[in-house]
Amino acid sequence: MALDGCGLLCKYTLFIFNLIFALVGFVFLGLGLWLRFSDSTRAIFQFEALNSSAFVIAVTVLIITGSVMLIVVVFGDYGACNEKRCALQIFSALVTILAAAVVFFGVMAYSRKEEIGLRMGEFYSSIYLLYVANSDPVLAVTLTFIQKLLHCCGVTGVPLLDFAKETCPDPESFLEHLKMDTCPLAIINVFNRNAPLVMGVFVGTGALLVVALVCSIVLLTQTKKAQQEITARYTTVY
């Protein structure tokens, strides 16, 4: 079916959106599955008393979020590539639900920033202790990413003495060779001091989902119109 300029723009926009979503979804799902089934972390999920811990909850959220994102990508790519209305309708419904969920959790993160900051700090501490105990390479990559993003060093903040000092970022000054921010405290401060920024990330993600939804609706409208034209032409001929 032929699409006009707006339809083609929306089609390519959905491709870019789905590419970003697929990459993030694979990272979330891969990390979540590794943390769930790795030999160094599997035992945590076998103790019922730990089922409500921040680590277990965060891993479960990673797996669910990654899975949902990949499902959205499948329907989005299939619907956009083949111009299938049914797939686009499912994609639109899923994106609408995700957009509402993202905005809802953004508001929750802003209103309960202290509690969420503590939970995320606890999640980091769990990963840190598991890495110290097992030297898991995936945990090392995770710690390195978090610590470079927040420019912090482990739970001690002392690069020379920290048990996971190889994952700490490079000091930016002489004093940072002696003392840096501890990561649990840095995580809590991000949620407490930069709550509007955290809220903005959620709202921005919701806006991206709305753009994808609009493009999906445009493609749905154009494919429906094209199908009606084909049906009318077929009826006229036969």
Side-chain angles (χ1 to χ4, degrees):
M1 301 177 188
L3 298 174
D4 61 21
C6 184
L8 288 174
L9 177 61
C10 282
K11 190 173 184 177
Y12 294 137
T13 300
L14 281 183
F15 286 153
I16 297 174
F17 169 84
N18 286 326
L19 176 61
I20 297 172
F21 240 51
L23 292 175
V24 177
F26 273 120
V27 171
F28 282 4
L29 181 59
L31 179 60
L33 290 175
W34 182 276
L35 294 175
R36 174 62 181 83
F37 297 106
S38 173
D39 292 336
S40 58
T41 59
R42 189 183 305 162
I44 295 176
F45 297 86
Q46 297 173 353
F47 291 96
E48 187 175 350
L50 297 177
N51 285 342
S52 61
S53 68
F55 181 82
V56 172
I57 294 173
V59 171
T60 303
V61 169
L62 283 174
I63 294 175
I64 294 175
T65 303
S67 300
V68 171
M69 292 176 74
L70 292 180
I71 291 172
V72 170
V73 168
V74 169
F75 281 106
D77 276 340
Y78 179 73
C81 290
N82 299 285
E83 298 174 22
K84 298 293 185 180
R85 294 186 64 227
C86 181
L88 287 172
Q89 287 170 344
I90 296 174
F91 174 79
S92 298
L94 291 174
V95 168
T96 301
I97 294 171
L98 279 178
V102 165
V103 173
F104 171 77
F105 285 115
V107 173
M108 290 292 293
Y110 182 81
S111 61
R112 303 176 64 179
K113 52 184 179 292
E114 293 86 1
E115 179 182 349
I116 293 177
L118 289 172
R119 287 286 186 174
M120 294 305 297
E122 182 184 338
F123 175 62
Y124 168 85
S125 298
S126 300
I127 294 179
Y128 177 89
L129 293 175
L130 287 169
Y131 172 71
V132 171
N134 300 284
S135 299
D136 191 305
V138 173
L139 297 180
V141 172
T142 305
L143 285 178
T144 300
F145 173 77
I146 295 173
Q147 293 176 167
K148 286 188 175 181
L149 180 66
L150 300 177
H151 196 70
C152 57
C153 182
V155 297
T156 66
V158 182
L160 296 178
L161 301 179
D162 196 86
F163 293 108
K165 58 185 177 183
E166 63 275 8
T167 64
C168 293
D170 294 331
E172 295 181 350
S173 66
F174 174 76
L175 291 178
E176 286 191 348
H177 282 84
L178 304 176
K179 185 72 172 68
M180 298 176 68
D181 290 336
T182 63
C183 289
L185 181 60
I187 292 171
I188 294 172
N189 287 338
V190 164
F191 283 89
N192 289 343
R193 298 178 183 175
N194 302 312
L197 178 61
V198 175
M199 176 70 175
V201 172
F202 280 98
V203 173
T205 303
L208 180 63
L209 290 167
V210 170
V211 171
L213 176 62
V214 170
C215 286
S216 177
I217 292 174
V218 170
L219 286 178
L220 273 170
T221 303
Q222 292 202 3
T223 53
K224 181 180 180 180
K225 181 179 178 181
Q227 286 177 350
Q228 289 175 341
E229 291 175 352
I230 292 173
T231 302
R233 191 180 303 116
Y234 181 85
T235 302
T236 302
V237 174
Y238 296 97

